[in-house]
């Protein structure tokens, strides 16, 4: 692979990792504010709901970019060479 391809690969990985991290932090902050605003009566109930919802949001935010990349690669018939893998 050429130097440009290698640089683009690293740039794509960096951008995906940073976007996923920023998205996870934004989702966690929005979940925290939603829990505070909803006024749960029981602390245990609040903690369990917050934990489950946060986990589901973080998983969906982490998987969504991979699904988009898969669909784009499938539609454009891209192939990964062993050098770039």
């Amino acid at each position: 692979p050429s130097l440009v391809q290698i640089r683009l690969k690293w740039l794509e990985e960096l951008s995906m990792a940073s976007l996923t991290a920023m998205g996870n932090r934004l989702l966690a902050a929005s979940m925290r504010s939603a829990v505070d605003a909803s006024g749960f009566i029981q602390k245990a109930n609040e903690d369990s709901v917050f934990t489950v919802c946060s986990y589901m949001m973080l998983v969906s935010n982490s998987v969504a970019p991979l699904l988009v990349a898969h669909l784009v690669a499938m539609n454009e018939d891209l192939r990964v060479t062993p050098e770039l893998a």
Side-chain angles (χ1 to χ4, degrees), residues 4-85:
V4 173
Q5 288 176 325
I6 293 172
R7 285 183 180 165
L8 286 175
K9 178 189 88 138
W10 284 109
L11 181 65
E12 180 184 8
E13 288 181 11
L14 177 67
S15 66
M16 290 306 295
S18 62
L19 285 175
T20 302
M22 287 177 9
N24 287 344
R25 291 205 181 255
L26 181 64
L27 287 172
S30 65
M31 286 297 300
R32 199 173 298 116
S33 67
V35 165
D36 291 340
S38 64
F40 281 112
I41 296 172
Q42 297 176 352
K43 180 70 174 154
N45 188 22
E46 177 183 335
D47 290 343
S48 62
V49 168
F50 179 70
T51 302
V52 170
C53 290
S54 296
Y55 177 75
M56 296 304 291
M57 292 297 229
L58 294 177
V59 167
S60 65
N61 189 39
S62 299
V63 172
L66 296 175
L67 292 175
V68 170
H70 173 71
L71 291 174
V72 169
M74 188 175 61
N75 288 336
E76 294 184 2
D77 194 30
L78 295 176
R79 300 183 196 277
V80 177
T81 61
E83 293 83 14
L84 290 177

